[in-house]
Amino acid sequence: MNNPAILVINCGSSSVKFSVIQPESETTLLSGLAECLTTEDASIKIKYHANSEGISTKTKALAAPYDHQEALNNLVKQLNILNLVQNICAVGHRVVHGGELYSQPTLINEDVKSTIENLAKLAPLHNPTNLIGINACEKAFASLPQIAVFDTAFHQTMPEKAYLYGIPFELYNQHSIRRYGFHGTSHYFVANQVAKLLNKPLASCNLISAHLGNGCSVTVIKNGESVDTSMGMTPLEGVMMGTRCGDIDAGIIFHLVERLGYTLEQVDTLLNKKSGLLGISQLSNDCRTLETTMLEGKNNDSALAKLALDVFCYRIAKSIASFSASLTELDGLIFTGGIGENSSWVRQQIIAQLSLLNFKICDVSNLATRFGASGNIAAESSRPSSLSLSLFWVIATNEELVIAQQSALLLS
Ligand code: AMP
């Protein structure tokens, strides 16, 4: 097969994100999203990239009930029309939780599928939907190898002192309760990009990576390996996010249930879906909306939008500062994810709160580095107390490319 491609699938509870990537040339031939699956609003959007005349997008409304299998069948039809099926040599799946078993991309067979199913006890919201995608692809692409790339895998290098909770050890030993971390593929990708920019092997880079999107996590990378990260056994731990609360006193849960009459399901919804930026602002989980509202004026909405963004930035700054406990030198701080890549305001706020570490931002490059641009946004004089020069990088993440490259590597 000439310049083979990998079909990358990221299956969520009501969506399938997909792309066809040639890993060797790092070319995306096609990408798209089927969303609102199993509802009346189901739709599929496909972008064709390979055309030298530019990217064209085709959006189709779909008849409900339209599920993951039908979305993938529709994709196969489009791939056939475009003559792309014969270029695809494997399907790479993003799988959220790999527990302690998977630190590498893995060829999917029946055993691997039942392990992913078993691990659903640690990721009930994610692993079952990832399996839906795997099963649907097995039907749609029966002759192709399927590969799982785990979101937790990059963090399997964390030492015990970072991954253990301060609870009885048998809960780890017998029930696997420990910190795992997520967004591993993204942290790995941006760290690798920065290593290239620094002209150093990743294995000698010391970095802090802040993936700030609707979900947010901060990871500290020592000699190229993840040694600590802000998310825990589930993606609920760590910094505050779009709708997730991040770290809270576990006592709040007892209080909600015992004193305020919440059911456990209501607590789950409250902390995962109604908290974070949305919970404090009472307006939106979308950083753009909050920034615009904050800048609009002095009504109650703008005050709450500012408050939500203040808490958000402060908690991220605290998390970054806390990771100085894991490093003796720092080559760079990375911002990625929808907010990290685009919000110069959020980046400025975070770095302004790290002046004790002698972090200083360059306002001009901060403003210029948005909407897909990558680059260094540190002021000339920005230097942490350790001897190495520190740079603040904005890097557009590309988890799909990592999944395609790692799948191709496994096959070869
Ligand atoms: P992600 O989950 O990585 O897609 O990121 C989604 C988040 O990125 C949302 O909170 C968006 O509001 C935020 N975002 C995207 N573009 C911008 C922008 N130009 N300025 C501020 N936030 C943005």
Side-chain angles (χ1 to χ4, degrees), residues 211-215 285-288 291 337-339 342-343 371:
H211 177 112
L212 311 180
N214 200 32
N285 61 318
D286 192 305
C287 184
R288 276 167 298 202
E291 280 188 39
I339 300 174
N342 296 303
S343 175
F371 318 131

Side-chain angles (χ1 to χ4, degrees), residues 163-169 171 179:
Y163 72 66
L164 283 179
Y165 287 113
I167 55 176
F169 190 66
L171 289 171
R179 308 181 61 254

Side-chain angles (χ1 to χ4, degrees), residues 112 137 195 207 241 243 257 261 323 345 358 369 404:
V112 173
C137 281
L207 302 161
M241 310 175 211
T243 61
V257 173
F323 284 148
W345 187 88
N358 209 8
T369 315

Side-chain angles (χ1 to χ4, degrees), residues 19 21 26 28 185-186 189-190 193 211 336 341 395-405:
S19 35
I21 299 176
E26 303 190 358
T28 300
T185 315
S186 174
F189 175 80
V190 295
Q193 294 301 105
H211 177 112
T336 192
E341 290 166 32
I395 304 287
T397 196
N398 193 343
E399 289 155 283
E400 287 76 20
L401 179 60
V402 176
I403 294 173
Q405 286 176 330

Side-chain angles (χ1 to χ4, degrees), residues 363-384:
D363 292 328
V364 175
S365 15
N366 184 35
L367 209 55
T369 315
R370 293 185 292 167
F371 318 131
S374 291
N376 170 30
I377 56 168
E380 285 279 307
S381 59
S382 190
R383 192 184 290 264

Side-chain angles (χ1 to χ4, degrees), residues 224-400:
E225 293 185 336
S226 167
V227 289
D228 204 351
T229 189
S230 58
M231 282 179 167
M233 184 174 99
T234 75
L236 188 55
E237 188 182 338
V239 296
M240 194 178 95
M241 310 175 211
T243 61
R244 297 185 197 126
C245 58
D247 293 336
I248 57 164
D249 179 345
I252 293 173
I253 296 172
F254 307 128
H255 189 81
L256 289 170
V257 173
E258 288 168 4
R259 304 253 175 267
L260 302 181
Y262 278 67
T263 64
L264 283 178
E265 201 184 339
Q266 285 169 329
V267 174
D268 188 336
T269 306
L270 180 84
L271 301 183
N272 274 298
K273 302 201 172 133
K274 295 186 176 171
S275 294
L277 289 173
L278 172 67
I280 296 182
S281 70
Q282 297 174 33
L283 186 68
S284 174
N285 61 318
D286 192 305
C287 184
R288 276 167 298 202
T289 310
L290 296 182
E291 280 188 39
T292 311
T293 311
M294 170 184 70
L295 297 171
E296 260 165 12
K298 296 213 176 308
N299 59 23
N300 196 40
D301 274 358
S302 49
L304 283 177
K306 176 161 183 353
L307 187 60
L309 288 167
D310 280 349
V311 176
F312 180 76
C313 295
Y314 175 61
R315 286 181 169 235
I316 293 162
K318 257 195 346 183
S319 179
I320 292 169
S322 75
F323 284 148
S324 62
S326 307
L327 295 175
T328 50
E329 49 185 273
L330 180 67
D331 298 305
L333 167 66
I334 310 169
F335 290 101
T336 192
I339 300 174
E341 290 166 32
N342 296 303
S343 175
S344 51
W345 187 88
V346 165
R347 296 190 303 238
Q348 194 277 333
Q349 290 293 308
I350 292 171
I351 291 180
Q353 292 174 81
L354 294 168
S355 58
L356 187 66
L357 300 176
N358 209 8
F359 280 11
K360 289 191 193 83
I361 201 163
C362 168
D363 292 328
V364 175
S365 15
N366 184 35
L367 209 55
T369 315
R370 293 185 292 167
F371 318 131
S374 291
N376 170 30
I377 56 168
E380 285 279 307
S381 59
S382 190
R383 192 184 290 264
S385 34
S386 72
L387 290 179
S388 96
L389 174 68
S390 178
L391 301 168
F392 312 144
W393 296 100
V394 178
I395 304 287
T397 196
N398 193 343
E399 289 155 283
E400 287 76 20

